[in-house]
Amino acid sequence: MNVGRRIPQAARAGRNRLARKLGLLLSLLRRIPSADRFVRDDAWAHELFPLTSSLAGKRIGIVGLGRIGQGIARRLTGFDVEIAYGGSKVEGVPYVMFSDVQQLAAFADILIVCCPGGDRTRHLIDGAVLSVLGSSGFLVNVSRGTVVDEAALIDALENGLIRGAALDVFEKEPLIGSRLATFSNVVLTPHAGSATEETRHTMLRLALDNIHRVLDGSCALTPVQ
């Protein structure tokens, strides 16, 4: 078995996850789920679908510029956007850093949350941050559900404090009976960032390769730091 070939496969799995995150963003801006229902419900015969928003030219604020955040940023550069980030300082990146998340939200048209979960980031995105993001701003959460104060987000959506949101993670999963499901300007997916057949196969293959190497007395391909 040539386990050395598995690292490129792991990178490919990461690219698949990033593609889904970008797909979530584009679905939000272009209202793709609503457009699908519009056609299926025969509404097109009676009216025109409302105008949507382009990604081009937007200011993107990324909360957490780790491996995933940097991957998202690299892929967004092709859309002619302006990128800034918040969180720990990252050397060697061409993006402006904001030390305060409210300042980042004030800069951004779209705030993408991809920082770690845990006590340090619990409800980092609260009512104050959403208010600063503003009525033309979009929120995308692809990190952990606890990072966003869902009660504050629902309030912001009900009162038009932000323009819309796309969420792949939630404070309580599965999401059942939530008011988030009632908003037409919200895109919801079931914590499915890595949920492709190809990615899950690659994840399993990499886990097995790690186990085989450790049992053979070698270093793991992807050791936990």
Side-chain angles (χ1 to χ4, degrees):
M1 179 186 301
N2 186 358
V3 294
R5 297 178 58 192
R6 302 307 177 187
I7 291 298
Q9 289 192 7
R12 189 158 55 248
R15 291 194 293 271
N16 288 337
R17 289 193 292 271
L18 290 170
R20 186 178 182 93
K21 297 177 194 308
L22 292 184
L24 188 62
L25 171 58
L26 292 171
S27 292
L28 171 64
L29 296 179
R30 299 307 306 271
R31 297 184 61 186
I32 292 174
S34 294
D36 178 80
R37 289 193 299 270
F38 183 84
V39 174
R40 291 175 187 271
D41 294 343
D42 295 331
W44 197 7
H46 311 290
E47 58 185 306
L48 295 177
F49 190 71
L51 296 177
T52 60
S53 183
S54 172
L55 177 55
K58 292 291 190 293
R59 293 181 297 181
I60 311 293
I62 300 177
V63 183
L65 200 69
R67 177 177 56 84
I68 293 175
Q70 290 184 51
I72 291 174
R74 286 194 300 271
R75 285 156 179 80
L76 285 173
T77 55
F79 290 92
D80 190 28
V81 297
E82 184 178 354
I83 296 173
Y85 74 98
S88 300
K89 184 172 178 58
V90 179
E91 300 294 340
V93 297
Y95 318 121
V96 174
M97 176 185 171
F98 289 89
S99 58
D100 180 82
V101 69
Q102 288 193 35
Q103 294 176 352
L104 181 64
F107 157 86
D109 300 307
I110 302 166
L111 193 65
I112 302 177
V113 185
C114 49
C115 61
D119 292 338
R120 291 183 60 186
T121 58
R122 179 175 177 79
H123 289 183
L124 176 66
I125 309 303
D126 57 12
V129 172
L130 295 171
S131 178
V132 172
L133 181 60
S135 59
S136 62
F138 296 93
L139 175 72
V140 178
N141 186 12
V142 291
S143 61
R144 291 293 182 265
T146 55
V147 180
V148 174
D149 183 342
E150 279 187 15
L153 175 58
I154 290 170
D155 180 73
L157 291 164
E158 287 181 334
N159 292 286
L161 300 181
I162 65 171
R163 188 170 176 183
L167 310 168
D168 185 48
V169 290
F170 308 93
E171 289 198 74
K172 293 183 179 179
E173 297 179 0
L175 188 73
I176 299 174
S178 171
R179 279 185 288 167
L180 287 170
T182 67
F183 298 105
S184 62
N185 58 340
V186 174
V187 177
L188 307 172
T189 55
H191 203 148
S194 65
T196 68
E197 294 177 1
E198 295 84 359
T199 297
R200 292 297 170 84
H201 176 80
T202 301
M203 291 167 66
L204 175 60
R205 182 68 266 171
L206 181 60
L208 292 174
D209 287 346
N210 275 312
I211 292 171
H212 292 158
R213 285 181 64 92
V214 171
L215 291 178
D216 288 342
S218 303
C219 292
L221 291 168
T222 54
V224 177
Q225 301 298 323

